[in-house]
Amino acid sequence: MVEFSGRRIVITGGAGGIGVATARAFLEHGAHVLLLDPDGQRLSEAKAALGGTRVFTAATDLATPAVCDALLTQARPLYALVHLAGVFERDPLDPDDHGVWDRAIAANLTSAYDMAVAFRRHADTRGPARIVLASSVAFRRGSPAYAAYGAAKGGIVGLTRSLARRFAPDILVNAVAPGVILTRMTDDIIAERGDAYRQDIPLQRFGDPGEVASVIRFLCSHDASYVTGQTITVDGGLTNA
């Protein structure tokens, strides 16, 4: 039996490295996936890379609750929401410019809240349904150059715990907290401090997107039927927590 056969799964940030790997993991187990991302060109490339079959895309920035709800209305009934969308910007801590802070909270945290609330309305709760949100090791270790990002990702953990209680027993809500994963988002920090980061990681290497995707797939599987409100760190032992 193919576990996710016929299941509809929405993946935000779907054109990113972890998004594509997650889509592939679900497709291999029979799912239909809807990839959401603001970059239409990269969405087209992702769909081509995934083979196109059972893959649907929509270019969107998830800017408002109404946009989130409209997107999910067209895709229902839904089994799972995997929310990977977000921005990763260096924070200058400029008292005269809240731009980085505002974008970090809006793109990483507010959109997660809006998508989760919308998903609840359109979820097929016979499963129960699943939500997986994306935090980061930045919330555990702190990130001096990315303070706004770290704060937003800490908010994801609090949101996960709260929604897990609110949505139970119909929807299981969990999060993943990736470390340094080999995606376009981490290219700059690896180029700047790659050796230093690698020396801090007990496994002595950076993560592959597929290694995060496999944890996300687990959280959406029957094997995780008694897991909710948790944040699973995928960082090669970097935080040891």
Side-chain angles (χ1 to χ4, degrees):
M1 178 180 178
V2 181
E3 180 165 15
F4 300 108
S5 180
R7 300 281 198 180
R8 298 181 181 184
I9 296 170
V10 174
I11 304 172
T12 71
I18 296 175
V20 173
T22 300
R24 181 173 290 112
F26 283 121
L27 289 167
E28 289 174 350
H29 290 265
H32 292 70
V33 298
L34 169 61
L35 306 182
L36 305 180
D37 199 279
D39 192 326
Q41 177 60 39
R42 293 186 67 211
L43 276 175
S44 297
E45 293 169 358
K47 183 172 183 177
L50 292 167
T53 305
R54 293 180 278 115
V55 179
F56 306 88
T57 63
T60 176
D61 58 5
L62 309 177
T64 67
V67 168
C68 296
D69 189 75
L71 287 163
L72 298 190
T73 296
Q74 299 175 40
R76 66 182 180 185
L78 295 165
Y79 173 68
L81 165 67
V82 179
H83 184 73
L84 304 171
V87 296
F88 182 64
E89 290 185 87
R90 191 177 297 273
D91 190 345
L93 302 179
D94 184 349
D96 298 318
D97 184 359
H98 265 208
V100 171
W101 174 268
D102 292 342
R103 286 189 295 273
I105 299 300
N108 295 289
L109 184 55
T110 302
S111 64
Y113 175 88
D114 289 342
M115 285 296 288
V117 171
F119 178 81
R120 187 189 189 192
R121 295 186 60 227
H122 304 298
D124 181 352
T125 56
R126 292 173 295 177
R130 312 299 170 95
I131 294 175
V132 180
L133 305 179
S135 182
S136 165
V137 294
F139 100 89
R140 292 191 186 277
R141 287 169 55 94
S143 184
Y146 298 87
Y149 176 82
K153 292 304 187 180
I156 288 288
V157 176
L159 181 64
T160 297
R161 292 170 177 165
S162 297
L163 294 183
R165 290 180 174 272
R166 182 67 177 269
F167 291 175
D170 295 326
I171 303 173
L172 308 184
V173 186
N174 293 287
V176 291
V180 184
I181 308 300
L182 292 169
T183 66
R184 191 173 70 165
M185 188 182 80
T186 60
D187 282 348
D188 289 344
I189 63 171
I190 289 176
E192 291 173 7
R193 301 188 65 244
D195 288 341
Y197 279 121
R198 190 181 293 106
Q199 289 173 11
D200 276 346
I201 300 171
L203 295 190
Q204 293 291 293
R205 65 177 178 84
F206 302 125
D208 181 84
E211 293 175 302
V212 181
S214 64
V215 176
I216 294 171
R217 179 174 60 80
F218 161 72
L219 289 171
C220 292
S221 73
H222 179 72
D223 291 339
S225 59
Y226 203 56
V227 179
T228 194
Q230 305 304 306
T231 299
I232 298 180
T233 302
V234 189
D235 70 350
L238 178 64
T239 55
N240 282 320

